[in-house]
Amino acid sequence: MSDNILNSPSTAYWGAIFSLFIGVTSLIAAEFIPISLLTPIAQDLNITEGQAGQSVTMVGIFAVVTSLVLAPMTQNINRRVVLFTFSILLVLSNLFIAVAPNYFIMLIGRALLGICVGGFWSMASAVVLQLAPSKDIPRALSIVYAGVSVATIISLPLASYLGHLVGWRNVFFIAAALSFIALVWQRLTLPSLPPCESSNFKNMFALFKQNWCFFGIIGTIFSYGGYHLFFTYLRPFLEHNLALQAGPLTLILLVFGIANCIGTFVAGLLLGRFFRPVMIAIHLVLAAIAMLLFIKYRFLSSDNVTMDTTLVIAWGFVFGFIPVGWSTWITRTLADKAELVGGLSVAAIQFSIGLAAGVGGMTFDLLGVSGIFITATIICIMGAIITALCFSLYKKATGNLA
C-alpha cells in the first residue's frame, strides 16, 4: 500500500481543495486568455495573429514535457513545496506577459505557464488523494475541475470584454492578481503532502505492461479527442452556420461554460455511486448529440437555432463528466502510482487536443460541419468501447471492479 493511501485523511481538507479550485481557475484562464486577445496582442508586439496564436502552442509543448518528467525528478520533494513553486511561477508568467516588450519575452512567460500546466495536472489526482477520504474523492475532483469551466468563462467572453475596457496587458495583471490569491490561499490551507517514492521513470514505463492501464490512456485520448474535435470548431459553427452576431455568440459561449461547470458538479455526485456505467454512458450521450446534429444538417432543415444551441449546451454539460471521470479512474485503480499515470494522462490529453485540431481541420475543409459531427460521433463511440474494455481487463487482472 502506498504512502498516498496511508496518508489519506479521515476528513477532507475542503479549504485546501477550494484553494486548488482557485489555482486551476487562474491557471487555465491564463492559458486561454490570448485566444480572446490575439488581435490587440499582435498589434502591440508588432507580430502576426498567427504568431500570437503560437503562444498557446508553446504552453502545450512545455506542458507535455513537464508532465512526463515531473514525478520522477521531484520524487523526494514534498508536494506542498512543489505546488507553491508552480503557483509562484504562474504569478511570474502572467507578469512577464503583462510587461513583455517583445515577442520573445512573451514566449518565455508562456513557457513558464506550460511548466505550471503540465506539472499541476500530472499531480492533481495524487494531491486530491491526500486531501480527501475515498468517499469524497469524486466530489473533491469535481470542485477542482470546476475551475476549468470557470476559467473558460473568464478567458473567452470576460477577457475579451475587459480587453476592450482596460487593454490586454491589464487583463494579464488581473490574471496575476488572481494567481497571487491562489498562492496565498494554498499557503494558508495546504497540509504537508509527502511524495510517493515509487515515482521514477522505470515505474512509469512499467505501467504500459498492464493492458488495462494502456487502454485507459487510449480511452482518455478518445474521450478528449472526440470532445475537442467539435469544441475546436464550435465558434465557426456558431458564427457561420448559425449566423450568430457578437452579442448572442458571447451569450452562448457563456452559457456553454456555465453548463460545463454544472456538469462537473453533477459528475462528482454520480460518479461516486455509479462510476462504471456513467463513464461508458457519457461517451454514448456525446455520440448521440453529435449524431443528432449530423442528421439535422445532412438530412433535415438547418434553420432551427434553438435546437442547435440546446444541443451545443448539452455537449458542454456532458463534457464536465470527462475530466472528473478519468481522474476518478486514476484514484480508483492506480492510487499508489497516481502521479506517474497522471503525467501520462496529461501528455495523452495534450496529444489528443492537438490531434483533434489537426483531424478536425482536414475534416472541416473537406466535408464541412457535418463531417465534424459524424467524425466526433465515431470517436465517441470508440471511446465508449475502449472504456468498457479497460474496465473489463482491470476486473480480469485484479478481480476488482474499477
Side-chain angles (χ1 to χ4, degrees), residues 200-221:
N200 54 55
F201 287 110
K202 180 181 178 181
N203 288 335
M204 175 179 282
F205 292 114
L207 289 172
F208 286 116
K209 295 180 180 178
Q210 303 174 84
N211 55 9
W212 56 268
C213 181
F214 172 78
F215 279 102
I217 296 298
I218 298 299
T220 302
I221 292 175

Side-chain angles (χ1 to χ4, degrees), residues 3-4 7 75 77-80 130 191-196 339:
D3 288 342
N4 295 60
N7 290 325
Q75 59 182 308
I77 303 175
N78 192 291
R79 271 35 205 150
R80 186 172 187 259
Q130 296 187 70
S192 177
L193 301 167
C196 179
E339 288 189 1

Side-chain angles (χ1 to χ4, degrees), residues 110 119 129 144 246 252-253 280 343 374 395:
R110 298 298 286 177
L129 272 170
V144 173
I252 293 300
L253 291 174
I280 296 170
I374 193 61
K395 183 180 179 181

